[in-house]
Amino acid sequence: MKLTNDISWWYWAATIPLIAFGLAGYSAGFIAAAALTAVQIVHFYSREKRLLAFPVQVRIAYLGLLLLAQWPPFYWVYWLQLIGTTAMVLFSYCLLARALSLMPWNRNEPFSLKLLVRTFISAPVQGNILQGMPAE
């Protein structure tokens, strides 16, 4: 595990035990994870000044998934978030950011199978996936 001075990394690292506590039966963990994600949204919005800034989008989507998982048929999403957030912290690989990078407002090339594959199998990058996607 690589400790970093990046506040984003610390937010995600703090989110992991919160979701784990929730999955262990302490529902306050899910509430705390949602609250921490809301704090991240405010923090990154105040820094970026745009709701469509990629770091803000990722956090809004993450909060949306936390809220969706409150509905019993989607409880499994918490497990996906725990695994994905752990991958982000340990390996700098963010599945959610990669999925969001495929949205029409976030890409400069037409959607294709080649883009889809390249998005999900490319190595982790510093910054965000929009800044570090390999060229076609």
Side-chain angles (χ1 to χ4, degrees):
M1 180 167 43
K2 177 182 157 194
L3 297 180
T4 177
N5 290 328
D6 181 13
I7 187 70
S8 177
W9 185 93
W10 287 100
Y11 278 135
W12 295 127
T15 303
I16 293 169
L18 298 176
I19 294 175
F21 287 140
L23 288 168
Y26 303 99
S27 60
F30 296 137
I31 295 166
L36 180 58
T37 304
V39 167
Q40 285 193 66
I41 291 169
V42 171
H43 176 195
F44 283 90
Y45 176 76
S46 69
R47 190 170 83 176
E48 302 288 337
K49 306 288 189 234
R50 294 181 312 116
L51 277 178
L52 284 180
F54 198 68
V56 179
Q57 285 182 54
V58 169
R59 285 146 182 92
I60 290 171
Y62 195 88
L63 180 59
L65 290 170
L66 284 171
L67 297 175
L68 176 67
Q70 285 287 302
W71 188 27
F74 289 98
Y75 189 83
W76 60 270
V77 170
Y78 285 131
W79 286 101
L80 185 63
Q81 287 185 286
L82 179 63
I83 294 165
T85 306
T86 301
M88 171 60 208
V89 168
L90 295 179
F91 308 113
S92 298
Y93 184 95
C94 184
L95 183 65
L96 179 59
R98 288 166 186 264
L100 281 173
S101 75
L102 294 172
M103 294 296 111
W105 57 88
N106 286 330
R107 58 185 157 84
N108 295 322
E109 62 184 280
F111 185 82
S112 66
L113 181 58
K114 193 175 189 179
L115 173 63
L116 180 71
V117 169
R118 193 172 79 239
T119 297
F120 288 105
I121 67 165
S122 63
V125 296
Q126 285 292 350
N128 67 55
I129 191 70
L130 291 182
Q131 297 165 334
M133 273 296 288
E136 183 175 15

